[in-house]
Amino acid sequence: MSSGRPGTPRLARQPGRLVAFSDGVFAIAVTLLVLEIQPPKDFGRLLPGLGALWPSYLGYALSFLLVGQVWVNHHVMFDRVRHVDRPVLFLNTLLLMVIAFLPFSTSLLADALRAEQGLRTAVVVYGTTLWLAAALFNVIWVHLRRARLLDPSLGPFGVRAIGRRFALALAWIGGGILVGAFVPIAGVVIIAAFLPAYYLPIRGEYGEDDKTTDRPA
């Protein structure tokens, strides 16, 4: 599709295929999370064995909700995209690569909790995986803005609000990594604490506040 309008890409790729592929990767990632939980081998002591798997349950629940959060915010972002270009396709591929790595870092965290060894390293690896995903969100959002790929109905207030939400994740997760390098459990708590906040709607994400906030005086 060609267009003579300034600032409009010569080839306007619709984001539908990107979103569909991303949804598939998210679905596979959360499925792999549960496959990391191995049942006890001693069925003579099945109940204690199931109880001993609590680190795996914890890692599964935390990572499932985190992947769900990434999925929600991925839709928040791409619901406001008119079309995508090659850099967006590449950056989104890197984001999905990080998400696909999360089952491994979750398993590492659960095993370290169970063994009570290497926990600091496991928390740093786990947090870094999430931080990289947050960083890619920010890079994609900045590119979407600069390349003018966003829906014009999303006004300046909504653009800034979504950008602030994505930027805050970098500091929040980064703080969890830093604390986790010294006090592992506290680091996990900090990382988990931003789950409720990031499931909440972003004020202005549908452009509703631009009608009043950015109206000329």
Side-chain angles (χ1 to χ4, degrees), residues 19-20 22-27 30 64-79 95-96 99 137 199:
V19 173
S22 301
D23 285 350
V25 174
F26 289 134
V30 294
F64 195 105
L65 291 173
L66 284 166
V67 172
Q69 182 191 93
V70 173
W71 177 78
V72 168
N73 285 285
H74 192 270
H75 272 282
V76 168
M77 181 162 58
F78 281 97
D79 283 349
L95 173 62
L96 297 178
I99 296 301
F137 257 94
Y199 268 111

Side-chain angles (χ1 to χ4, degrees), residues 18-96:
L18 179 149
V19 173
F21 177 65
S22 301
D23 285 350
V25 174
F26 289 134
I28 293 171
V30 294
T31 301
L32 291 176
L33 287 173
V34 74
L35 295 180
E36 292 295 330
I37 305 177
Q38 299 297 318
K41 296 182 179 180
D42 185 1
F43 279 78
R45 302 182 67 255
L46 184 57
L47 186 58
L50 289 172
L53 292 175
W54 69 266
S56 295
Y57 304 146
L58 175 63
Y60 167 75
L62 178 60
S63 293
F64 195 105
L65 291 173
L66 284 166
V67 172
Q69 182 191 93
V70 173
W71 177 78
V72 168
N73 285 285
H74 192 270
H75 272 282
V76 168
M77 181 162 58
F78 281 97
D79 283 349
R80 310 308 302 176
V81 172
R82 290 182 299 169
H83 42 252
V84 298
D85 59 8
R86 186 177 291 272
V88 172
L89 296 177
F90 174 71
L91 291 169
N92 190 71
T93 299
L94 293 180
L95 173 62
L96 297 178

Side-chain angles (χ1 to χ4, degrees), residues 102-122:
L102 191 58
F104 168 78
S105 57
T106 301
S107 178
L108 187 70
L109 178 62
D111 289 345
L113 281 168
R114 190 177 300 110
E116 299 182 352
Q117 293 180 344
L119 192 53
R120 292 181 181 181
T121 300

Side-chain angles (χ1 to χ4, degrees), residues 92-172:
N92 190 71
T93 299
L94 293 180
L95 173 62
L96 297 178
M97 183 174 70
V98 173
I99 296 301
F101 187 77
L102 191 58
F104 168 78
S105 57
T106 301
S107 178
L108 187 70
L109 178 62
D111 289 345
L113 281 168
R114 190 177 300 110
E116 299 182 352
Q117 293 180 344
L119 192 53
R120 292 181 181 181
T121 300
V123 171
V124 170
V125 171
Y126 185 79
T128 301
T129 304
L130 299 174
W131 190 90
L132 287 173
L136 285 164
F137 257 94
N138 280 272
V139 172
I140 293 171
W141 187 248
V142 169
H143 176 76
L144 290 170
R145 291 178 59 182
R146 291 180 176 175
R148 300 180 182 179
L149 299 174
L150 294 173
D151 189 331
S153 65
L154 180 66
F157 184 93
V159 171
R160 291 193 299 269
I162 294 173
R164 282 194 299 268
R165 175 72 67 88
F166 291 165
L168 179 59
L170 286 174
W172 200 322

